[in-house]
């Protein structure tokens, strides 16, 4: 039986990533621990950052908890965590644990020739954590991705002449590997030109989630008719404008529940849904539980499925 570990919500935080090279927009380092400590506790704080994060295990086992699942990975395994995805990690065994942490702003690694693929990694509607099925189900892809991350780490340590070129090339190869291995279509999205046209509306939504957001305001912002806008938005984004706004509000509510000491009512106001019945209904539709149940569940491992990574040959 699992032990449910209560964790104060005020310990959750947004992590600022200090880039080792500001022009590469990344941070990569090795964590090595011989501590006997293991399991989730108050030491394992919930946190998030705008950078995508890859974790690659060299020795030992690591537990990673997210909103969706609790995953255990071992030597040769890796996992990807999406931008601003809440997570915490734990050492599981009393022996040595060694692993690489690779945090990177992928959007900064596109140039004019590769810009058409930027939308694939934008996470507007599909979070990158869904790509972890690749590492679980496809040995060759997992091994290649693992090798690329180790190459990036080695180059960052040696800093030999041209290491920036080597790292940039490996990051692009990693993204290419994910795209070509994505048999479930996680990275299939709208064309970048279409997203560019909607960008003012998407940015407006992000800035005004605590306020009332009307379709008519978006129509005026983009100079489009009402009927054309709602059809165009659904075609590009894959969901209606109202559903998109609600999705963004729920995502913000999840983050507030874990990073701020606010009541459920205060969270509802912060995300622009002051009607508690409506807020509970919408939150439950996305999470299959109430905001209170979500907050309690995310304090420990209770109610979170465990996924074991595929054993290495």
């Amino acid at each position: 039986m699992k032990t449910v570990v209560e964790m104060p919500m005020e310990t959750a935080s947004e992590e600022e990533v200090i880039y080792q090279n500001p022009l590469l927009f990344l941070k990569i380092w090795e964590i090595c621990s011989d501590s006997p400590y293991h399991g989730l506790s108050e030491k394992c704080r919930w946190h998030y950052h705008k950078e995508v994060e890859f974790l690659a295990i060299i020795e030992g086992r690591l537990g990673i908890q997210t909103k969706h699942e609790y995953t255990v990975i071992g030597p040769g395994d890796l996992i990807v965590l999406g931008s601003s995805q809440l997570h915490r990690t734990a050492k599981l065994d009393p022996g040595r644990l060694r692993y690489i942490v690779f945090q990177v702003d992928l959007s900064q690694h596109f140039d004019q020739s590769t810009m058409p693929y930027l939308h694939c990694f934008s996470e507007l509607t599909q979070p990158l954590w869904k790509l972890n099925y690749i590492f679980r189900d496809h040995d060759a892809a997992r091994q290649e991705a693992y090798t690329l991350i180790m190459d990036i780490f080695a180059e960052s340590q040696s800093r030999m002449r041209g290491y920036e070129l080597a790292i940039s090339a490996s990051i692009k190869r990693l993204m290419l590997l994910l795209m070509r291995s994505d048999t479930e279509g996680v990275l299939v999205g709208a064309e970048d030109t279409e997203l560019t046209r909607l960008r003012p509306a998407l940015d407006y939504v992000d800035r005004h989630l605590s306020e009332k957001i009307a379709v008519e305001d978006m129509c005026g912002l983009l100079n489009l008719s009402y009927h054309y806008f709602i059809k165009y938005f659904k075609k590009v984004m894959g969901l209606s404008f109202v559903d998109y706004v609600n999705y963004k509000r729920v995502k913000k509510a999840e983050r507030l529940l874990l990073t701020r000491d606010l009541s459920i009512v205060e969270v509802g106001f912060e995300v622009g849904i002051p009607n508690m019945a409506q807020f509970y209904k919408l939150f439950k539709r996305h999470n299959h539980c109430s905001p209170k149940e979500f907050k309690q569940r995310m304090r420990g491992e209770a109610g979170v499925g465990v996924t074991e990574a595929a054993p290495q040959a």
Side-chain angles (χ1 to χ4, degrees), residues 11-231:
T11 60
S13 61
E14 179 175 6
E15 178 182 289
E16 181 183 2
V17 176
I18 307 300
Y19 299 136
Q20 292 159 331
N21 182 326
L23 298 180
L24 287 175
F25 300 92
L26 62 84
K27 180 180 180 181
I28 186 167
W29 74 101
E30 178 182 342
I31 290 180
C32 182
S33 173
D34 292 310
S35 167
Y37 160 76
H38 60 91
L40 290 165
S41 78
E42 292 182 5
K43 294 182 181 179
C44 305
R45 296 186 175 187
W46 288 102
H47 64 283
Y48 65 96
H49 35 74
K50 69 181 182 65
E51 290 77 13
V52 172
E53 179 171 288
F54 293 86
L55 301 174
I57 308 301
I58 301 171
E59 184 178 355
R61 293 193 312 145
L62 183 71
I64 303 99
Q65 186 179 4
T66 67
K67 161 195 161 182
H68 309 278
E69 60 186 4
Y70 179 68
T71 305
V72 177
I73 57 177
D77 291 329
L78 70 158
I79 193 171
V80 59
L81 299 161
S83 174
S84 297
Q85 181 177 8
L86 286 160
H87 61 281
R88 59 176 180 169
T89 60
K91 181 181 179 183
L92 300 182
D93 303 314
R96 171 170 289 194
L97 172 66
R98 292 177 60 214
Y99 63 100
I100 301 299
V101 181
F102 175 39
Q103 299 169 331
V104 58
D105 183 350
L106 292 178
S107 66
Q108 299 294 333
H109 288 270
F110 289 87
D111 52 34
Q112 187 172 355
S113 64
T114 56
M115 196 61 70
Y117 300 102
L118 174 61
H119 69 278
C120 295
F121 295 88
S122 65
E123 298 191 88
L124 287 172
T125 58
Q126 292 278 26
L128 290 185
W129 66 262
K130 288 190 174 183
L131 292 173
N132 284 311
Y133 81 89
I134 296 174
F135 304 142
R136 289 194 298 265
D137 301 341
H138 305 287
D139 291 346
R142 180 181 67 248
Q143 292 166 9
E144 185 175 348
Y146 186 92
T147 299
L148 286 168
I149 290 174
M150 291 302 169
D151 289 344
I152 293 170
F153 177 65
E155 290 289 347
S156 72
Q157 294 297 296
S158 71
R159 300 178 73 89
M160 293 176 61
R161 185 183 184 193
Y163 82 95
E164 301 95 336
L165 291 172
I167 288 176
S168 182
S170 291
I171 291 173
K172 287 183 170 63
R173 285 192 60 83
L174 181 58
M175 290 191 287
L176 177 62
L177 173 66
L178 292 174
M179 288 182 63
R180 291 184 173 177
S181 303
D182 179 25
T183 56
E184 295 186 5
V186 174
L187 297 178
V188 175
E191 292 297 328
D192 192 60
T193 52
E194 295 176 322
L195 286 175
T196 299
R197 190 176 186 186
L198 287 179
R199 179 56 62 186
L202 301 178
D203 291 342
Y204 182 94
V205 170
D206 285 339
R207 292 194 305 268
H208 297 84
L209 281 175
S210 62
E211 307 167 19
K212 180 180 178 181
I213 300 176
V215 176
E216 290 79 5
D217 295 333
M218 301 303 98
C219 296
L221 188 64
L222 300 180
N223 195 27
L224 298 174
S225 71
Y226 180 91
H227 292 291
Y228 183 84
F229 171 77
I230 58 176
K231 289 182 179 179

